[in-house]
mmCIF file of all heavy atoms in Angstrom:
data_model
loop_
_atom_site.group_PDB
_atom_site.id
_atom_site.type_symbol
_atom_site.label_atom_id
_atom_site.label_comp_id
_atom_site.label_asym_id
_atom_site.label_seq_id
_atom_site.Cartn_x
_atom_site.Cartn_y
_atom_site.Cartn_z
ATOM 1 N N GLN A 510 -14.190 -82.556 -114.130
ATOM 2 C CA GLN A 510 -13.506 -82.209 -112.882
ATOM 3 C C GLN A 510 -12.652 -80.954 -113.039
ATOM 4 O O GLN A 510 -12.597 -80.110 -112.141
ATOM 5 C CB GLN A 510 -12.665 -83.386 -112.396
ATOM 6 C CG GLN A 510 -13.476 -84.598 -111.956
ATOM 7 C CD GLN A 510 -14.537 -84.238 -110.923
ATOM 8 O OE1 GLN A 510 -14.254 -83.582 -109.914
ATOM 9 N NE2 GLN A 510 -15.766 -84.675 -111.165
ATOM 10 N N VAL A 511 -11.983 -80.830 -114.194
ATOM 11 C CA VAL A 511 -11.173 -79.628 -114.445
ATOM 12 C C VAL A 511 -12.090 -78.415 -114.595
ATOM 13 O O VAL A 511 -11.812 -77.340 -114.052
ATOM 14 C CB VAL A 511 -10.303 -79.804 -115.704
ATOM 15 C CG1 VAL A 511 -9.482 -78.542 -115.963
ATOM 16 C CG2 VAL A 511 -9.368 -81.005 -115.549
ATOM 17 N N LEU A 512 -13.191 -78.585 -115.323
ATOM 18 C CA LEU A 512 -14.126 -77.474 -115.519
ATOM 19 C C LEU A 512 -14.729 -77.013 -114.202
ATOM 20 O O LEU A 512 -14.971 -75.817 -114.011
ATOM 21 C CB LEU A 512 -15.233 -77.886 -116.490
ATOM 22 C CG LEU A 512 -14.824 -78.031 -117.960
ATOM 23 C CD1 LEU A 512 -15.979 -78.575 -118.794
ATOM 24 C CD2 LEU A 512 -14.350 -76.702 -118.523
ATOM 25 N N LYS A 513 -14.952 -77.929 -113.287
ATOM 26 C CA LYS A 513 -15.464 -77.532 -111.976
ATOM 27 C C LYS A 513 -14.470 -76.629 -111.261
ATOM 28 O O LYS A 513 -14.865 -75.648 -110.605
ATOM 29 C CB LYS A 513 -15.761 -78.773 -111.135
ATOM 30 C CG LYS A 513 -17.043 -79.497 -111.506
ATOM 31 C CD LYS A 513 -17.339 -80.618 -110.513
ATOM 32 C CE LYS A 513 -18.688 -81.255 -110.778
ATOM 33 N NZ LYS A 513 -19.035 -82.292 -109.776
ATOM 34 N N GLN A 514 -13.189 -76.944 -111.374
ATOM 35 C CA GLN A 514 -12.174 -76.086 -110.751
ATOM 36 C C GLN A 514 -12.169 -74.705 -111.398
ATOM 37 O O GLN A 514 -12.026 -73.682 -110.716
ATOM 38 C CB GLN A 514 -10.797 -76.731 -110.887
ATOM 39 C CG GLN A 514 -10.644 -78.051 -110.137
ATOM 40 C CD GLN A 514 -9.273 -78.653 -110.348
ATOM 41 O OE1 GLN A 514 -8.251 -78.047 -109.998
ATOM 42 N NE2 GLN A 514 -9.219 -79.842 -110.952
ATOM 43 N N VAL A 515 -12.323 -74.670 -112.717
ATOM 44 C CA VAL A 515 -12.360 -73.387 -113.428
ATOM 45 C C VAL A 515 -13.567 -72.573 -112.979
ATOM 46 O O VAL A 515 -13.456 -71.377 -112.663
ATOM 47 C CB VAL A 515 -12.399 -73.618 -114.949
ATOM 48 C CG1 VAL A 515 -12.676 -72.304 -115.682
ATOM 49 C CG2 VAL A 515 -11.099 -74.230 -115.439
ATOM 50 N N VAL A 516 -14.735 -73.204 -112.969
ATOM 51 C CA VAL A 516 -15.965 -72.508 -112.576
ATOM 52 C C VAL A 516 -15.853 -71.972 -111.150
ATOM 53 O O VAL A 516 -16.255 -70.842 -110.864
ATOM 54 C CB VAL A 516 -17.182 -73.442 -112.713
ATOM 55 C CG1 VAL A 516 -18.405 -72.855 -112.015
ATOM 56 C CG2 VAL A 516 -17.480 -73.709 -114.191
ATOM 57 N N HIS A 517 -15.279 -72.773 -110.260
ATOM 58 C CA HIS A 517 -15.129 -72.315 -108.874
ATOM 59 C C HIS A 517 -14.239 -71.086 -108.805
ATOM 60 O O HIS A 517 -14.580 -70.110 -108.120
ATOM 61 C CB HIS A 517 -14.544 -73.423 -108.004
ATOM 62 C CG HIS A 517 -14.368 -73.003 -106.572
ATOM 63 N ND1 HIS A 517 -15.414 -72.985 -105.673
ATOM 64 C CD2 HIS A 517 -13.270 -72.549 -105.896
ATOM 65 C CE1 HIS A 517 -14.974 -72.547 -104.506
ATOM 66 N NE2 HIS A 517 -13.679 -72.277 -104.616
ATOM 67 N N GLN A 518 -13.121 -71.100 -109.525
ATOM 68 C CA GLN A 518 -12.212 -69.954 -109.428
ATOM 69 C C GLN A 518 -12.811 -68.712 -110.081
ATOM 70 O O GLN A 518 -12.658 -67.603 -109.557
ATOM 71 C CB GLN A 518 -10.860 -70.281 -110.082
ATOM 72 C CG GLN A 518 -9.831 -69.169 -109.892
ATOM 73 C CD GLN A 518 -8.415 -69.680 -109.817
ATOM 74 O OE1 GLN A 518 -8.184 -70.859 -109.627
ATOM 75 N NE2 GLN A 518 -7.461 -68.788 -109.967
ATOM 76 N N VAL A 519 -13.502 -68.886 -111.207
ATOM 77 C CA VAL A 519 -14.129 -67.729 -111.857
ATOM 78 C C VAL A 519 -15.147 -67.078 -110.932
ATOM 79 O O VAL A 519 -15.201 -65.845 -110.808
ATOM 80 C CB VAL A 519 -14.802 -68.154 -113.181
ATOM 81 C CG1 VAL A 519 -15.674 -67.017 -113.729
ATOM 82 C CG2 VAL A 519 -13.756 -68.539 -114.218
ATOM 83 N N THR A 520 -15.954 -67.892 -110.270
ATOM 84 C CA THR A 520 -17.016 -67.338 -109.419
ATOM 85 C C THR A 520 -16.526 -66.950 -108.027
ATOM 86 O O THR A 520 -17.093 -66.046 -107.398
ATOM 87 C CB THR A 520 -18.177 -68.347 -109.295
ATOM 88 O OG1 THR A 520 -17.671 -69.615 -108.833
ATOM 89 C CG2 THR A 520 -18.852 -68.547 -110.642
ATOM 90 N N ASP A 521 -15.482 -67.584 -107.540
ATOM 91 C CA ASP A 521 -14.936 -67.236 -106.229
ATOM 92 C C ASP A 521 -14.109 -65.962 -106.309
ATOM 93 O O ASP A 521 -14.226 -65.081 -105.447
ATOM 94 C CB ASP A 521 -14.089 -68.384 -105.688
ATOM 95 C CG ASP A 521 -13.508 -68.060 -104.319
ATOM 96 O OD1 ASP A 521 -14.292 -67.800 -103.382
ATOM 97 O OD2 ASP A 521 -12.267 -68.048 -104.181
ATOM 98 N N GLN A 522 -13.285 -65.854 -107.341
ATOM 99 C CA GLN A 522 -12.454 -64.656 -107.501
ATOM 100 C C GLN A 522 -13.145 -63.574 -108.318
ATOM 101 O O GLN A 522 -12.625 -62.469 -108.454
ATOM 102 C CB GLN A 522 -11.133 -65.044 -108.168
ATOM 103 C CG GLN A 522 -10.258 -65.957 -107.312
ATOM 104 C CD GLN A 522 -9.909 -65.303 -105.979
ATOM 105 O OE1 GLN A 522 -9.359 -64.204 -105.931
ATOM 106 N NE2 GLN A 522 -10.249 -65.988 -104.884
ATOM 107 N N LEU A 523 -14.300 -63.913 -108.867
ATOM 108 C CA LEU A 523 -15.080 -62.963 -109.666
ATOM 109 C C LEU A 523 -14.222 -62.314 -110.740
ATOM 110 O O LEU A 523 -14.154 -61.089 -110.875
ATOM 111 C CB LEU A 523 -15.747 -61.927 -108.762
ATOM 112 C CG LEU A 523 -16.830 -62.502 -107.839
ATOM 113 C CD1 LEU A 523 -17.364 -61.440 -106.896
ATOM 114 C CD2 LEU A 523 -17.965 -63.116 -108.640
ATOM 115 N N ILE A 524 -13.578 -63.184 -111.514
ATOM 116 C CA ILE A 524 -12.797 -62.739 -112.675
ATOM 117 C C ILE A 524 -13.722 -62.085 -113.690
ATOM 118 O O ILE A 524 -13.349 -61.150 -114.390
ATOM 119 C CB ILE A 524 -12.073 -63.945 -113.301
ATOM 120 C CG1 ILE A 524 -11.146 -64.582 -112.264
ATOM 121 C CG2 ILE A 524 -11.312 -63.548 -114.555
ATOM 122 C CD1 ILE A 524 -10.688 -65.970 -112.634
ATOM 123 N N ARG A 525 -14.903 -62.630 -113.790
ATOM 124 C CA ARG A 525 -15.987 -61.947 -114.487
ATOM 125 C C ARG A 525 -17.241 -62.180 -113.659
ATOM 126 O O ARG A 525 -17.419 -63.233 -113.046
ATOM 127 C CB ARG A 525 -16.146 -62.442 -115.926
ATOM 128 C CG ARG A 525 -16.536 -63.881 -116.098
ATOM 129 C CD ARG A 525 -16.673 -64.238 -117.579
ATOM 130 N NE ARG A 525 -17.758 -65.156 -117.814
ATOM 131 C CZ ARG A 525 -18.206 -65.506 -119.010
ATOM 132 N NH1 ARG A 525 -17.630 -64.998 -120.087
ATOM 133 N NH2 ARG A 525 -19.208 -66.339 -119.162
ATOM 134 N N MET A 526 -18.120 -61.186 -113.615
ATOM 135 C CA MET A 526 -19.255 -61.174 -112.700
ATOM 136 C C MET A 526 -20.542 -61.338 -113.497
ATOM 137 O O MET A 526 -21.053 -60.392 -114.091
ATOM 138 C CB MET A 526 -19.243 -59.877 -111.892
ATOM 139 C CG MET A 526 -17.936 -59.697 -111.093
ATOM 140 S SD MET A 526 -17.583 -57.994 -110.592
ATOM 141 C CE MET A 526 -18.927 -57.689 -109.445
#
Side-chain angles (χ1 to χ4, degrees):
Q510 293 307 310
V511 179
L512 288 174
K513 283 187 174 184
Q514 295 178 61
V515 170
V516 167
H517 180 80
Q518 185 149 345
V519 169
T520 54
D521 180 59
Q522 294 301 304
L523 293 175
I524 301 164
R525 64 179 217 171
M526 302 160 66

